[in-house]
Amino acid sequence: MLFHPEEQNGSIAEAEPRNLALQCLRELFQKCSFGSLKSVLEPVFRHFDLHNKWDPPPTFAIKTFKAILYSIQSQNSYFVIQELINQLEQVQNGESNVRVGMATVLANIVSIAGTSIGPLLLAIFNSLLKLLRSSVEFQQSKQCVDLEKEKLFQNTLINALGDFASALPDYQKVEIMMFTAGSIPNVESTVNLKTERMCEAFLQKVLVKTLLEVATKYKTFYLATVFTDAFLRTLLQLQLTRDAEVRLIAHQIFQTLLDRHDNQQKLEHLLLILPEMRMEDLPLIVEKCSRQDSLFMRRNIHVIVSTLYRSVVIAEPENSVSIEKQYFAFLCSLALILVEVGNDETQVELFRLAFALQQYALDEQLCEEKAINIHNLVSRYMSLSSQLASIPALCQHVQQVINLRAQRAHPLLNINTDKPKSIVNNVESKLADEKQDQ
């Protein structure tokens, strides 16, 4: 273990022992058979434990494990990952610095081994999820003395899971997402003690973040491939949980997997769809819906629309997530469905949803903030959908209603002016950049 990174700035003479040690280490692992790997790895772990090499930032440990993984046969890489996970399990309630360091090493090397893990994929992923669950339970207990370090450990593990997924082929990414979704607890159905329910709720939030991290590594081609019945049901249930933050992340997962043409960022907050814009100014990629996706939407559009309606109804102002932010997430989901799979049947159902929401805001005794946000949500959606439909009479009617609201209704119902300035400036700069590129 002479090739310590702190010596890299030394003279050539000082560098020679380090290079020699690195060469010896690589040759040692190159000649290792699968059966002897465990025996050779044990001194490495012991050295790191005795000399505090796991302490963040674990630069030396990362370099060492990268050298090991690049030296052994690729089909044996999974064994090194599993051994590191086993070491992490042994100290799962131990010193936080050590666990954060180990998780950081794992996050940096797991993508190297990811392509060779194969059939042991779910076993390793399950081990990582168990570590995450144990960390959540430990954080909720009275034994945890450093909450920030524990959160850092969890975030590092989530990043490791995301990096792990990014190195896998698409079909295995789908398996990972299904497996993660199946591990998310249904807090609403639990009848446990209050403390246990709180732990389950926190675990739910952590696992949903993990699912989002994995989803960002996947590129959807056909909706039915990723949105299986069980997975779609879980995702829709998450949009109806009590925790607004979980609902928000569930919408982000849905949008990430639904967005195949990078329209999500452009539709964010739907401020790109300003009423005075013409259709040719909208930088959206809209393609004809494939037959497979049309069949998928025909089979699932009713349950999706029903869930979206209920998610609007249950939304309430909260300290963690404002109602405006909740409705913007809903609006982006609605708009992405229209843009990505906006065949005639889907458009009709989405129009029905918009009208139902408007009627709900009129009929129910809602607080002013919620009612105004629902009306603005419907206005922005109708502005987008009318322009995408390219029906002049509909566009004219929608614009007329928006203008009348601006003149006669509550000032906050004027969607031309009621926009966060920072987002508007960002949108305008994006549009200007795209026009220059063209």
Side-chain angles (χ1 to χ4, degrees), residues 189-204:
S189 65
T190 56
V191 290
N192 299 330
L193 298 174
K194 183 178 179 181
T195 53
E196 293 180 3
R197 192 178 297 128
M198 288 175 60
C199 183
E200 290 288 288
F202 191 80
L203 177 63
Q204 182 188 62

Side-chain angles (χ1 to χ4, degrees), residues 26-84:
R26 285 178 171 169
E27 289 182 1
L28 174 64
F29 277 93
Q30 282 172 0
K31 295 176 180 179
C32 274
S33 63
F34 178 77
S36 60
L37 261 180
K38 185 178 179 66
S39 300
V40 182
L41 280 171
E42 283 181 358
V44 177
F45 289 121
R46 193 177 302 116
H47 175 81
F48 288 173
D49 292 338
L50 293 175
H51 298 278
N52 301 322
K53 298 302 182 185
W54 298 117
D55 291 350
T59 310
F60 179 59
I62 292 171
K63 286 180 177 289
T64 303
F65 273 97
K66 282 186 176 180
I68 291 172
L69 285 175
Y70 285 127
S71 301
I72 63 176
Q73 296 180 4
S74 59
Q75 64 266 28
N76 295 335
S77 298
Y78 77 90
F79 183 80
V80 178
I81 299 296
Q82 189 61 62
E83 282 298 300
L84 183 54

Side-chain angles (χ1 to χ4, degrees), residues 213-262:
E213 184 69 26
V214 177
T216 57
K217 312 297 181 182
Y218 180 77
K219 190 69 174 178
T220 304
F221 290 97
Y222 294 114
L223 298 180
T225 304
V226 62
F227 290 113
T228 61
D229 291 342
F231 182 68
L232 181 62
R233 183 168 58 251
T234 300
L235 208 53
L236 294 178
Q237 286 175 351
L238 289 171
Q239 294 180 12
L240 300 176
T241 57
R242 298 174 187 173
D243 192 327
E245 190 175 347
V246 172
R247 295 200 302 269
L248 198 64
I249 299 172
H251 275 291
Q252 291 172 352
I253 296 168
F254 183 71
Q255 294 160 18
T256 300
L257 296 174
L258 188 62
D259 181 28
R260 292 169 291 186
H261 301 97
D262 298 323

